[in-house]
């Protein structure tokens, strides 16, 4: 209810709206955890039929244990194909802002991300996304672009209400330009045009902007990064979609750094990187 995070917040059925209030992941001992709050789905007072359920600090008790379907629901039975321990291995120096729970919460907005095409492709897509994130943020260290002096205010009807120089890169894929903040905000239901700093102050929103671009942006190519991985076009086309300046000999060292990250992350996940790694 209301994306609440406190013990005792009630849980109700509600129209699906892709918000953090509606994200659940399988936890220990049969629990269902809402990553936004870090709390477990809880049978209030160990009640019977008609009992109102709530969220409560995870205890491992039987009133927080739920019998889950055994079938695969994508992403390894309903969870992300990258575990928290694997995420920590990929990003040992991550800024505390970039939480794993924030990423998992953001996944609810894009349910086809890393859940399409079978286990191998799902793991490859997750690794490809995180490899590009690693490159863009220096290993999930930087939230904001280091050089914030650039004018990323394109001539658009909605202008740059936050200020001409306020649309510099932020977040896991360093979203920049007023038109990207405008489009991303519309897609995820946040006013990022007026409040671009939401991308650097709210972990779930920050991850959502990166997933938005991954799923929709083509950059200098013809495929989105999601399409490139699901259609087995190869990791190289994700680079083209995110920063095509590095392709065709433009910045070979930068491109290779992304490839190295991808090969490292697929190694952590125990999956082949596939072909067509460069652009």
């Amino acid at each position: 209810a209301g994306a609440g995070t406190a013990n005792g917040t009630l849980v109700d059925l509600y129209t699906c709206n892709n918000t953090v209030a509606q994200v659940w992941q399988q936890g220990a001992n049969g629990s269902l955890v809402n990553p936004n709050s870090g709390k477990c789905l809880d049978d209030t007072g160990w009640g019977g039929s008609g009992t109102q359920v709530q969220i409560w600090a995870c205890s491992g008790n039987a009133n927080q244990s739920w019998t889950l379907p055994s079938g695969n629901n994508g992403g390894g039975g309903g969870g992300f194909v990258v575990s928290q321990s694997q995420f920590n291995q990929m990003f040992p120096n991550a800024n505390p802002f970039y939480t794993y729970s924030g990423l998992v919460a953001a996944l609810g907005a894009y349910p086809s991300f890393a859940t399409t095409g079978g286990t191998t492709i799902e793991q490859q897509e997750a690794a490809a996304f995180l490899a590009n994130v690693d490159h863009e943020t220096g290993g999930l260290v930087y939230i904001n672009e280091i050089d914030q002096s650039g004018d990323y205010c394109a001539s658009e009807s909605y202008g740059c209400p936050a200020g001409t120089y306020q649309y510099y890169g932020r977040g896991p894929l360093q979203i920049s330009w007023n038109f990207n903040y405008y489009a991303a905000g519309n897609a995820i239901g946040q006013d990022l045009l007026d409040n671009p700093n939401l991308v650097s102050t709210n972990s779930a929103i920050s991850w959502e902007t990166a997933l938005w671009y991954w799923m929709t942006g083509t950059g200098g190519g013809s495929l989105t990064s999601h399409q490139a991985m699901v259609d087995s076009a190869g990791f190289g086309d994700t680079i083209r979609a995110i920063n095509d300046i590095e392709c065709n000999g433009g910045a070979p060292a930068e491109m290779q750094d992304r490839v190295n990250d991808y090969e490292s992350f697929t190694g952590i996940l125990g999956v082949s990187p596939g072909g067509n790694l460069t652009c």
Side-chain angles (χ1 to χ4, degrees), residues 55-120:
I55 57 171
W56 200 269
C58 299
S59 64
N61 292 332
N63 68 321
Q64 294 181 353
S65 181
W66 304 88
T67 301
L68 306 176
S70 58
N72 191 304
N73 187 31
F80 187 32
V81 293
V82 178
S83 69
Q84 180 152 16
S85 63
Q86 289 169 329
F87 179 85
N88 293 343
Q89 186 178 352
M90 293 171 177
F91 301 105
N93 301 310
N95 188 307
F97 171 76
Y98 288 119
T99 61
Y100 177 80
S101 61
L103 170 57
V104 172
L107 297 179
Y110 293 96
S112 60
F113 169 76
T115 63
T116 306
T119 302
T120 295

Side-chain angles (χ1 to χ4, degrees), residues 147-241:
D147 182 359
Q148 300 173 11
S149 64
D151 181 354
Y152 293 106
C153 182
S155 179
E156 302 286 353
S157 60
Y158 41 77
C160 295
T164 302
Y165 291 90
Q166 289 303 306
Y167 300 97
Y168 51 81
R170 293 177 177 86
L173 284 184
Q174 294 288 288
I175 179 177
S176 57
W177 291 98
N178 58 329
F179 51 80
N180 279 326
Y181 279 90
Y182 177 75
N186 287 341
I188 68 175
Q190 300 288 340
D191 183 8
L192 301 183
L193 186 68
D194 287 284
N195 303 287
N197 279 326
L198 285 174
V199 182
S200 57
T201 57
N202 184 300
S203 182
I205 289 174
S206 195
W207 283 112
E208 279 188 42
T209 64
L211 288 168
W212 164 79
Y213 190 84
W214 183 266
M215 301 297 290
T216 65
T218 59
S222 59
L223 299 174
T224 67
S225 297
H226 174 67
Q227 290 171 327
M229 298 309 297
V230 169
D231 296 343
S232 298
F235 179 74
D237 273 311
T238 72
I239 304 174
R240 194 176 299 280

